[in-house]
Amino acid sequence: MITAAAHRLKEHARRTPLLSSPFLDRIAGRRVFVKAECLQHTGSFKFRGAWSAITALPDTARGVIAFSSGNHAQGVAYAASLKGLPAVIIMPRDAPAIKIANTRALGAEVVLYDRVLEDRDALGAALARERGLELIQPFDHPQVIAGQGSVGLEIAEQARAEGIKDAQVLVCCGGGGLTSGIALALEQTAPQMQVRTVEPEGFDDVAQSLATGQVVENPTRSGLCDAIVTPRPGALTWPVMQRLCGQGLVVSDTEALRAMALAYDRLKLVLEPGGAVALAAAVFRRDEIEGDAVIVTASGGNVDRPVFMDALAEEAADAKR
């Protein structure tokens, strides 16, 4: 499925670069390679899974519906527009304004909900039934996972070109669609590489689940790293992560902000907090990582300006301390 999805994505998705910087290498104490999915269509890897799922729909499909804090929303909205299908996107009211605005600009109908008081899954299922729409889930969907797996295929090829024989691959992780897709792809194409999840403190349900061997749920549903704040691992993604992933890594919001500033300063990349946690782990959790090279996903760059300014200010303040 991953190979087939990659074939459908060819000529539609961008082949994002694997970037490096001697400055980041020095800070991390090893070679750091950054898979810049923030440069993908709509500013995140989510276009891959959306295109994979939508292009696998039957010709009789009347439209699609999705729920997302913003990145999956934009990916589905754009993919649907390219296929000429209507899209309804259910988004939390506290999602970054830029993500809500971009989703609407891409032609989707946006339905806002309260992520604390309302159940987005139930709301999405109800609207799908009422309107006859195909539900494209953000991570617990076979074709979405397959599309995200194309990132893993590219990582394997690019790593070989860089002479990287083995490395830990750190993935910004929410529900696990990107993580499980990459892990499955690397299992076949670069089995010597180990995938590790990275999450923000307080929302480390996957890390806790991996540590205990049982699914653990987050008590809260909102945070700075909105793109990867999910209540629990997915029913489809969890078994894959449990089988293929190493110990989960956890970083603070402050470290995510500092990583955003480092990506901007050293790679000229704009990252959102949730898209920067893997880089944060490479830089600030260096003692928890093995090997002389690490590959990290920079999974998204859809950040509101005030948050980005906070990131630059945090790094400047740290430099003075």
Side-chain angles (χ1 to χ4, degrees):
M1 287 179 67
I2 291 172
T3 302
H7 180 74
R8 295 198 305 277
L9 281 159
K10 193 175 182 180
E11 308 301 332
H12 295 283
R14 293 171 179 159
R15 181 182 173 88
T16 55
L18 193 67
L19 304 176
S20 62
S21 161
F23 299 100
L24 293 178
D25 294 351
R26 188 177 305 123
I27 297 170
R30 56 175 53 87
R31 292 186 298 164
V32 177
F33 295 88
V34 179
K35 180 62 169 165
E37 279 295 297
C38 54
L39 301 178
Q40 188 54 258
H41 294 307
T42 70
S44 87
F45 71 96
K46 290 288 191 177
F47 173 76
R48 295 176 185 263
W51 183 258
S52 172
I54 288 175
T55 54
L57 290 174
D59 293 338
T60 55
R62 296 165 54 187
V64 297
I65 186 169
F67 38 83
S68 166
S69 65
N71 287 337
H72 181 62
Q74 292 172 81
V76 170
Y78 183 50
S81 71
L82 292 178
K83 293 295 291 182
L85 288 173
V88 177
I89 311 295
I90 302 168
M91 303 183 70
R93 295 184 186 280
D94 61 349
I98 189 172
K99 294 182 179 180
I100 296 175
N102 286 351
T103 303
R104 286 176 171 147
L106 288 167
E109 175 189 346
V110 174
V111 177
L112 299 177
Y113 79 102
D114 187 316
R115 74 165 91 210
V116 176
L117 300 177
E118 296 179 274
D119 184 335
R120 71 175 189 179
D121 292 13
L123 181 59
L127 281 173
R129 288 193 302 270
E130 291 170 9
R131 304 193 188 185
L133 303 175
E134 301 286 345
L135 177 61
I136 309 295
Q137 295 164 308
F139 50 84
D140 234 9
H141 186 296
Q143 287 293 350
V144 168
I145 294 171
Q148 319 308 23
S150 65
V151 178
L153 297 181
E154 291 180 16
I155 287 175
E157 294 174 3
Q158 292 168 319
R160 283 194 293 271
E162 293 285 351
I164 306 170
K165 295 183 178 180
D166 57 63
Q168 294 192 333
V169 180
L170 312 187
V171 183
C172 308
C173 186
L178 179 62
T179 304
S180 56
I182 290 176
L184 287 167
L186 293 179
E187 181 185 26
Q188 295 297 317
T189 59
Q192 71 278 16
M193 293 187 180
Q194 182 188 49
V195 171
R196 298 184 65 184
T197 63
V198 187
E199 299 167 287
E201 290 177 351
F203 303 96
D204 55 341
D205 52 290
V206 174
Q208 292 188 52
S209 299
L210 289 170
T212 63
Q214 298 180 340
V215 171
V216 174
E217 184 166 338
N218 284 321
T220 53
R221 304 289 174 88
S222 62
L224 177 69
C225 300
D226 64 283
I228 56 173
V229 171
T230 51
R232 68 190 73 82
L236 296 180
T237 62
W238 163 240
V240 176
M241 294 189 289
Q242 185 179 32
R243 182 171 65 87
L244 296 177
C245 293
Q247 181 180 5
L249 295 161
V250 182
V251 300
S252 68
D253 284 352
T254 297
E255 288 166 338
L257 290 172
R258 291 177 61 194
M260 290 168 61
L262 287 172
Y264 176 74
D265 288 340
R266 304 308 182 187
L267 298 173
K268 307 311 173 190
L269 293 178
V270 174
L271 299 182
E272 60 192 278
V277 295
L279 178 59
V283 174
F284 303 118
R285 294 289 186 269
R286 50 188 289 180
D287 293 340
E288 299 176 39
I289 301 166
E290 298 178 356
D292 61 1
V294 63
I295 298 171
V296 307
T297 61
S299 57
N302 294 306
V303 58
D304 282 344
R305 289 186 182 184
V307 176
F308 190 68
M309 295 303 294
D310 286 345
L312 300 183
E314 177 61 39
E315 181 64 12
D318 182 71
K320 293 180 180 179
R321 287 195 283 266

